[in-house]
Amino acid sequence: MKKTMVAMRHGQTVFNERKRVQGWTDSPLTQLGIEQARYSKKYIDSLGLDFDHAYCSTSERCCDTMEILTDMPYTRKKGLKEWNFGILDGEPEYLNPPLAEYDEFFSTHGGESRAQLVKRMNDTLTEIMDQPDHQNVLVVSHGGSLRNFERYWCPDDSAFIKGRLYNCAVLVFEYDTENKTFELKEVFNPNYTGDSKK
């Protein structure tokens, strides 16, 4: 059986705006973040899916984003949280190492390795999608978590994503219950900055 999962990154936060590392720490959405969520909601609505369940990270920024997208009840899951960056959480982004060094860097500084993050996301999302009454599921999570999950299932993603995964980017996956696999089908990745013409 094939199912659909629509996953979105939360809107811009105060820490995003101030260029602070934001993993398991939290900060509220900015006004732009609220507008970004409303903007991407139009795309999600255009998919014409009747969502039967909704899930988000336990971080407030994801809950607030979810409540802009839908008024349906949703479940908060710790497994959908952002990458745990350890002692780098809350620090200026310039302290992060080059991307090529991310794999084990944070796990040696009190956080998670990339492999731990991907396993956590895979385990959580597979458990969600395997539930028999789940057909079309809406998920709100984080940039690092979603991008690493997406790259695990779609290593050559250049046809879908050019550069980074922006705030309120939407990833549409097809889930195969027999093989327990996710296939990336579509991406909406607007760099929405408040200009209604974009």
Side-chain angles (χ1 to χ4, degrees):
M1 178 188 288
K2 301 293 177 66
K3 300 181 178 185
T4 301
M5 181 182 78
V6 176
M8 190 173 97
R9 183 186 176 194
H10 61 78
Q12 185 199 63
T13 67
V14 170
F15 271 24
N16 292 153
E17 188 176 44
R18 295 179 182 173
K19 303 206 178 303
R20 293 269 172 178
V21 177
Q22 187 173 224
W24 284 20
T25 56
D26 208 358
S27 71
L29 297 180
T30 62
Q31 183 58 43
L32 174 57
I34 292 168
E35 291 176 22
Q36 288 169 334
R38 289 173 179 158
Y39 184 77
S40 289
K41 180 183 187 307
K42 295 175 185 176
Y43 168 77
I44 291 173
D45 290 347
S46 77
L47 296 172
L49 294 169
D50 184 15
F51 292 106
D52 46 66
H53 291 83
Y55 292 83
C56 76
S57 158
T58 53
S59 297
E60 180 183 355
R61 58 196 188 267
C62 289
C63 299
D64 289 348
T65 300
M66 178 66 84
E67 289 169 15
I68 294 168
L69 299 182
T70 182
D71 58 4
M72 71 185 292
Y74 63 91
T75 302
R76 300 167 74 215
K77 293 283 241 183
K78 288 183 179 180
L80 297 175
K81 288 183 75 167
E82 179 60 292
W83 196 333
N84 181 351
F85 297 117
I87 62 172
L88 272 294
D89 243 344
E91 297 297 327
E93 289 180 355
Y94 69 78
L95 294 175
N96 277 341
L99 281 173
E101 298 175 17
Y102 269 38
D103 285 355
E104 298 295 337
F105 180 84
F106 300 110
S107 64
T108 62
H109 291 79
E112 293 176 292
S113 68
R114 188 188 305 272
Q116 288 171 324
L117 166 65
V118 170
K119 182 179 187 306
R120 168 166 63 82
M121 287 291 288
N122 269 331
D123 288 350
T124 302
L125 291 170
T126 299
E127 178 187 9
I128 287 170
M129 297 307 296
D130 272 343
Q131 296 185 60
D133 62 342
H134 289 41
Q135 182 60 46
N136 298 314
V137 178
L138 180 62
V139 171
V140 176
S141 187
H142 305 264
S145 295
L146 287 174
R147 190 63 192 272
N148 282 281
F149 171 80
E150 172 265 322
R151 280 181 166 155
Y152 176 83
W153 292 104
C154 185
D156 183 15
D157 63 2
S158 59
F160 289 98
I161 302 172
K162 308 294 184 190
R164 64 177 301 176
L165 200 63
Y166 293 109
N167 287 105
C168 291
V170 181
L171 309 174
V172 181
F173 290 93
E174 183 178 84
Y175 180 68
D176 185 326
T177 58
E178 183 177 353
N179 297 308
K180 299 189 184 302
T181 56
F182 290 86
E183 182 181 355
L184 185 63
K185 305 297 284 187
E186 199 170 327
V187 174
F188 180 68
N189 190 27
N191 184 14
Y192 181 79
T193 59
D195 180 355
S196 61
K197 295 177 182 178
K198 285 197 172 190

